[in-house]
Amino acid sequence: MKFISPHSKLAAHIARLCMIALLPMSAMAVTAPIRDLDKDGIANSTDMDVDNDGIPNSDDPNIDGGTAVSGTLSGKYIGDRLNNDSPAELDMDDDGLADDSVAENDIDGDGKNDDAPEEDDIDGDGKLDDSLSEDDIDGDNRKDDSPVELDIDGDGKADDSVTELDIDGDGKNDDAADELDIDGDGKNDDSLTELDTDGDARTDDSVYEKDIDGDGLADDSVDETDIDGDGSADDSPSESDIDGDGRSDESTAELG
């Protein structure tokens, strides 16, 4: 058996460490693989037709699943078989960002930011965000009027944040006169059945609700002229329920 000196082993180990130290950082760096479902050389995060089925993401009921019509995968079905509005679909454009992630600002991968005025179907399910049939605007499987839904339009801004000025992402500011359904739950802001106007999980008549219409202005602020955001100024003769709690201001049941 050949004897190997411990000193020789130590010298060899030191030599290897020196070689590694001399390698350029680029050779040592580990690059995350680019997600490119259809193998067309365009990353899913910027690809306007992720599955290359000939249907743009903006019109595709299943953005990340279909039969490729061209390229190396032509004729093959690629991706999943989950429609965009499926409860099991958690990343509809397959860009590596979950649809309910705060870092995901274009859920349906149509090139329009979720908070852009021209984005009228945030989750790409074919239902307009302000449609009565759309009850999950950002497609995160939490209903818009659910107490656990804290970011209705999925733009990364909490519904009760002072920087969130368009809670349902329909392109109309929450304090705009023509915004009649602030939280996009299908109930008009002045409806008797609307108990949480801004959809922040605090009822309009709760002592903890300090900004009923979610426009960033405190209800007791001198700058707040339409507390319930129903389009009628608080001092208007036609405004009979200033705080929008369903009780007339002159009702004996209206205590605050």
Side-chain angles (χ1 to χ4, degrees):
M1 180 180 292
K2 185 178 180 180
F3 176 74
I4 300 175
S5 168
H7 297 293
S8 298
K9 288 183 178 180
L10 179 59
H13 181 62
I14 293 174
R16 279 197 298 272
L17 290 177
C18 290
M19 289 287 289
I20 292 172
L22 292 173
L23 284 174
M25 289 300 293
S26 58
M28 298 174 64
V30 177
T31 304
I34 295 174
R35 299 176 76 96
D36 180 13
L37 185 66
D38 57 6
K39 310 301 180 190
D40 64 353
I42 304 172
N44 294 344
S45 58
T46 57
D47 195 336
M48 293 297 99
D49 183 8
V50 167
D51 56 8
N52 198 15
D53 63 355
I55 306 172
N57 297 338
S58 57
D59 299 318
D60 197 337
N62 180 13
I63 293 168
D64 63 352
T67 301
V69 296
S70 62
T72 58
L73 300 177
S74 180
K76 294 182 180 179
Y77 192 95
I78 58 176
D80 64 29
R81 296 181 184 274
L82 300 171
N83 276 358
N84 300 333
D85 59 357
S86 168
E89 178 57 273
L90 305 179
D91 179 13
M92 64 183 66
D93 61 355
D94 194 36
D95 63 353
L97 296 172
D99 296 332
D100 62 356
S101 166
V102 294
E104 176 60 276
N105 56 22
D106 180 14
I107 290 172
D108 61 357
D110 63 355
K112 293 182 275 193
N113 275 6
D114 298 329
D115 59 359
E118 64 272 17
E119 175 57 278
D120 56 7
D121 180 14
I122 287 172
D123 63 355
D125 63 354
K127 300 180 210 167
L128 294 181
D129 297 330
D130 59 0
S131 167
L132 291 177
S133 63
E134 177 58 280
D135 58 3
D136 180 14
I137 288 173
D138 61 355
D140 63 356
N141 301 314
R142 290 189 288 265
K143 299 292 185 188
D144 297 329
D145 60 358
S146 167
V148 297
E149 175 56 279
L150 304 179
D151 180 14
I152 288 172
D153 61 357
D155 63 355
K157 294 183 240 179
D159 296 329
D160 60 357
S161 168
V162 294
T163 63
E164 176 57 280
L165 304 179
D166 180 14
I167 288 172
D168 62 357
D170 63 355
K172 300 176 195 169
N173 274 5
D174 297 329
D175 59 357
D178 61 343
E179 175 56 280
L180 305 179
D181 180 14
I182 289 171
D183 61 356
D185 62 355
K187 301 175 199 166
N188 276 2
D189 299 328
D190 59 358
S191 169
L192 293 178
T193 62
E194 177 57 278
L195 305 179
D196 180 14
T197 299
D198 60 357
D200 64 354
R202 289 189 290 267
T203 57
D204 297 334
D205 60 359
S206 167
V207 294
Y208 300 105
E209 177 59 277
K210 306 299 182 184
D211 179 14
I212 290 173
D213 61 357
D215 63 355
L217 296 172
D219 296 331
D220 59 0
S221 168
V222 293
D223 296 318
E224 177 58 277
T225 58
D226 180 15
I227 288 173
D228 62 356
D230 64 354
S232 298
D234 296 333
D235 59 0
S236 168
S238 62
E239 176 58 277
S240 59
D241 180 15
I242 289 175
D243 61 359
D245 63 357
R247 295 187 292 262
S248 171
D249 296 330
E250 59 186 19
S251 167
T252 54
E254 178 61 270
L255 302 177

